[in-house]
Amino acid sequence: RAKSAGGNRFEIADPEADARAITRHGLTNALPAALERGEFFIEYQPLVHLGDGSVHGAEALVRWCHPQHGVLGPDRFIPLAERTGLIVPLGRWVLQEAVRQARFWSRRHTDGGPLRINVNLSPAQLQHPGLVADTVDVLERSGLEPGALCLEVTESALIGADEERLGPLRQLAEMGVDIALDDFGTGYSNLANLRRLPVSVLKLDRSFTQGMQRHPADPVDLKIVEGIVSLAHSLELAVTVEGVETAAQAEQLREIGCDTAQGWYYARPGAPDRIHTLVLADAV
Ligand code: C2E
Ligand code: MG
Ligand code: MG
Ligand code: MG
């Protein structure tokens, strides 16, 4: 942190914070060229039906293979891309690539319905006027049916959103695209508010699943999840749980009536052929 002490405004009080700021600055500047050079890639993590363990779909999670720093997770660069606006072309690339991949899986997996693909949208993408047109374009060019696409938006991106802000999401929902509320439970939206959002899926944040693991004997966390699930179902929302790491969690969540799950217990995010193999195994 640079302290403004006397005339010396740039005295370094915290060299580590300074180094982090320099790295952030460097990463931010490198983003546009990285997109052009194709340094981003997508890992896919399966979403599984809790009922029978079959694959429901996959979430696309972007990574940056940086020439000096190695593979960087989205938490390292999405906030930077968000701030500079690069998230719009980057997000468009992710959408296009993930939808193309999903279309490829669907061709190989004709019975059992299409494999669904979940793509994260950040707040800047939601506000971008080209969102609907870009999405329609990507779907049309790939031939993937809109019902196979699920766009994930966080609670915080929708908090206080007026009808104008919600319009594009509503349009997409009317086309058949699913909208999921990601990291549900970490924001401040109240449950009654859900009724006015064009959302059809709730993704319960990992913190709930972690809570269940911390207190296996404590029924309170389970009661909370149970309450959310029954309310979500009464609003005709499907419930996905994030961060399932153990068989015991999966079993409890299945008993509670959660619909789908995602987590290391099933698979870590990985290369697309991994999903392909899982789906083909299911189909047999
Ligand atoms: P998210 O959408 O909530 O994605 C789930 C995150 O939880 C992923 O982290 C995933 O690797 C991690 N995860 C999955 N299962 C488990 C588990 O069992 N245990 C634990 N501890 N973690 C698990 P990741 O890949 O680092 O992504 C972080 C966040 O970055 C995502 O959170 C999402 O908000 C954002 N993100 C990722 N890809 C994109 C993208 O293409 N566009 C935008 N706008 N955001 C993205
Ligand atoms: Mg997500
Ligand atoms: Mg999430
Ligand atoms: Mg999360």
Side-chain angles (χ1 to χ4, degrees):
R1 204 144 318 196
K3 256 198 252 166
S4 51
N8 184 5
R9 299 180 36 136
F10 300 104
E11 177 195 344
I12 304 304
D14 182 347
E16 265 179 44
D18 194 52
R20 281 196 300 271
I22 289 168
T23 310
R24 270 202 305 275
H25 184 71
L27 291 179
T28 305
N29 288 341
L31 279 166
L35 184 57
E36 265 176 36
R37 281 199 292 260
E39 290 173 6
F40 295 99
F41 66 99
I42 301 175
E43 288 193 324
Y44 296 87
Q45 186 178 33
L47 274 84
V48 171
H49 288 287
L50 273 164
D52 62 3
S54 63
V55 180
H56 170 74
E59 179 172 7
L61 296 159
V62 70
R63 278 92 179 84
W64 180 1
C65 186
H66 189 284
Q68 280 92 47
H69 303 290
V71 174
L72 302 176
D75 294 334
R76 291 287 301 279
F77 62 87
I78 291 286
L80 308 177
E82 173 88 7
R83 230 170 289 148
T84 60
L86 196 88
I87 190 67
V88 171
L90 175 59
R92 201 186 288 131
W93 177 80
V94 171
L95 181 71
Q96 187 183 314
E97 183 60 22
V99 162
R100 190 193 58 73
Q101 187 59 64
R103 179 69 184 119
F104 173 76
W105 289 325
S106 301
R107 285 218 176 88
R108 301 306 176 89
H109 178 57
T110 41
D111 30 84
L115 194 72
R116 314 177 46 90
I117 184 74
N118 286 36
V119 177
N120 293 283
L121 283 189
S122 66
Q125 289 174 274
L126 279 180
Q127 284 171 332
H128 188 262
L131 176 66
V132 175
D134 285 349
T135 308
V136 170
D137 185 54
V138 163
L139 286 171
E140 278 177 356
R141 278 193 290 153
S142 71
L144 190 78
E145 53 184 280
L149 174 65
C150 178
L151 297 174
E152 300 191 358
V153 297
T154 58
E155 271 187 283
S156 51
L158 293 186
I159 282 174
D162 55 13
E163 268 312 304
E164 195 184 333
R165 271 280 281 291
L166 293 175
L169 282 185
R170 218 177 277 291
Q171 256 177 283
L172 290 166
E174 275 158 17
M175 283 166 42
V177 174
D178 270 316
I179 311 293
L181 205 51
D182 203 356
D183 300 342
F184 183 78
T186 57
Y188 305 93
S189 68
N190 70 53
L191 289 163
N193 200 16
L194 289 174
R195 294 171 61 190
R196 64 174 203 97
L197 300 176
V199 160
S200 49
V201 181
L202 273 197
K203 287 193 81 173
L204 268 189
D205 190 65
R206 193 162 73 220
S207 51
F208 289 103
T209 346
Q210 279 167 349
M212 286 170 48
Q213 195 165 33
R214 269 197 307 275
H215 319 282
D218 183 353
V220 174
D221 286 309
L222 277 176
K223 285 281 173 216
I224 293 172
V225 175
E226 229 176 313
I228 294 174
V229 171
S230 83
L231 192 106
H233 283 165
S234 70
L235 294 170
E236 295 180 346
L237 302 173
V239 181
T240 299
V241 280
E242 301 182 321
V244 177
E245 294 183 358
T246 67
Q249 288 174 332
E251 181 50 26
Q252 281 177 315
L253 292 161
R254 195 185 60 76
E255 276 170 18
I256 287 174
C258 292
D259 303 289
T260 48
Q262 186 180 353
W264 294 349
Y265 171 60
Y266 303 102
R268 299 209 177 207
D273 52 332
R274 186 69 204 295
I275 302 290
H276 200 166
T277 311
L278 286 173
V279 173
L280 289 179
D282 258 10
V284 191

